[in-house]
Amino acid sequence: MEVSQEFFSGVIEAGGIFAPILFILIHLLRPILFLPVILFCIIGGLMFGVIAGSIYSIIGITLSSLVFYFLLKRAPGILNRILQVKDKVIGDNVITSKSQIMLLRLIPFIHFNLLSLCLIELTVNVKDYLKSSFYTSIPFTIVYTSIGQWMLNLSPTHILLFFVGIIPFLYLFRKKQFIIKWNDFFHAKA
């Protein structure tokens, strides 16, 4: 992992004072590039450490959420269609508090912007949304930035074992489908 530490140290030194600014700007481009928020929080931990990486990620996530808010408010037709899809997928009144959103953001399988959309529904104006987005992203950012810093201290063998250990869970949590042939279905009922 010394190679990783040297690489990220080199990136920070090469970027100088602009490395954090560039990192925050990439957070703003992340939704357009369809890149996961978790990835950038982990990279922030790798590049800047837990404290600085968390601060830069929180700033980037908050600004990205603000851009998301204004994009949806500028296009109310798209907002209404997305809300209809959200209601079909997760229900109408499933998420009822900002604390739920804070906890759900810790789960890597739930889409970050979907929870931002739920947060838009729970807030009354842009100031409330921005404050709520800031506070609900703090635990998420600290946890995943810490994972990035933690990964620097692992040997390649430990990282390989970690990822091999995840494979059974990916299999267990996959989408399960059963295919019943037409003839088997109707013969079973007869």
Side-chain angles (χ1 to χ4, degrees), residues 152-164:
L152 276 177
N153 299 325
L154 293 178
S155 69
T157 306
H158 287 111
I159 292 174
L160 180 64
L161 289 173
F162 175 74
F163 285 115
V164 168

Side-chain angles (χ1 to χ4, degrees), residues 6 8 18 24-28 30 42 52 67 74 78 82 96 104 116 128 141 163 171-172:
E6 291 173 10
F8 288 116
F18 297 111
I24 292 169
L25 289 175
I26 291 174
H27 257 295
L28 289 173
R30 177 197 46 76
I42 291 172
V67 169
R74 294 261 184 222
I78 294 173
I82 292 173
T96 57
L104 288 171
S116 293
D128 185 29
T141 305
F163 285 115
Y171 178 75
L172 290 172

Side-chain angles (χ1 to χ4, degrees), residues 7 14 16 24 31 42 67 72 82 84 92 96 111-112 116 130 132 135 162 166 170:
F7 171 75
I24 292 169
I42 291 172
V67 169
L72 288 182
I82 292 173
Q84 288 173 354
D92 190 22
T96 57
H111 197 276
F112 192 84
S116 293
L130 191 59
S132 299
Y135 287 123
F162 175 74
I166 289 176
L170 293 174

Side-chain angles (χ1 to χ4, degrees), residues 14 16 33 73 79 81 96 98 103 118 131 138 140 170:
L33 302 172
K73 291 299 180 180
L79 174 62
R81 279 188 265 155
T96 57
K98 296 170 188 173
L103 291 174
C118 294
K131 185 174 75 171
I138 291 173
F140 164 82
L170 293 174

Side-chain angles (χ1 to χ4, degrees), residues 43 46 59 61 73 76 117 120 122 126 137 144 146-147 189:
I43 290 172
L46 289 168
I59 292 169
I61 288 170
K73 291 299 180 180
L117 184 66
I120 288 173
L122 293 174
V126 68
S137 67
Y144 288 106
S146 298
I147 290 172
K189 286 194 167 205

Side-chain angles (χ1 to χ4, degrees), residues 22-142:
L22 182 62
F23 182 73
I24 292 169
L25 289 175
I26 291 174
H27 257 295
L28 289 173
L29 295 175
R30 177 197 46 76
I32 297 168
L33 302 172
F34 299 107
L35 297 171
V37 179
I38 293 171
L39 175 67
F40 282 95
C41 290
I42 291 172
I43 290 172
L46 289 168
M47 289 180 66
F48 303 106
V50 176
I51 296 172
S54 294
I55 291 169
Y56 301 147
S57 288
I58 289 170
I59 292 169
I61 288 170
T62 304
L63 291 175
S64 177
S65 295
L66 185 64
V67 169
F68 179 73
Y69 180 88
F70 283 120
L71 285 175
L72 288 182
K73 291 299 180 180
R74 294 261 184 222
I78 294 173
L79 174 62
N80 290 334
R81 279 188 265 155
I82 292 173
L83 287 173
Q84 288 173 354
V85 170
K86 181 202 75 82
D87 290 342
K88 287 179 184 178
V89 171
I90 64 171
D92 190 22
N93 293 319
V94 175
I95 299 174
T96 57
S97 73
K98 296 170 188 173
S99 299
Q100 284 178 321
I101 292 174
M102 185 183 307
L103 291 174
L104 288 171
R105 283 197 169 165
L106 291 169
I107 302 170
F109 305 113
I110 299 177
H111 197 276
F112 192 84
N113 286 339
L114 177 66
L115 294 174
S116 293
L117 184 66
C118 294
L119 197 57
I120 288 173
E121 289 182 317
L122 293 174
T123 55
V124 292
N125 57 25
V126 68
K127 184 179 177 183
D128 185 29
Y129 172 75
L130 191 59
K131 185 174 75 171
S132 299
S133 180
F134 174 78
Y135 287 123
T136 59
S137 67
I138 291 173
F140 164 82
T141 305
I142 291 172

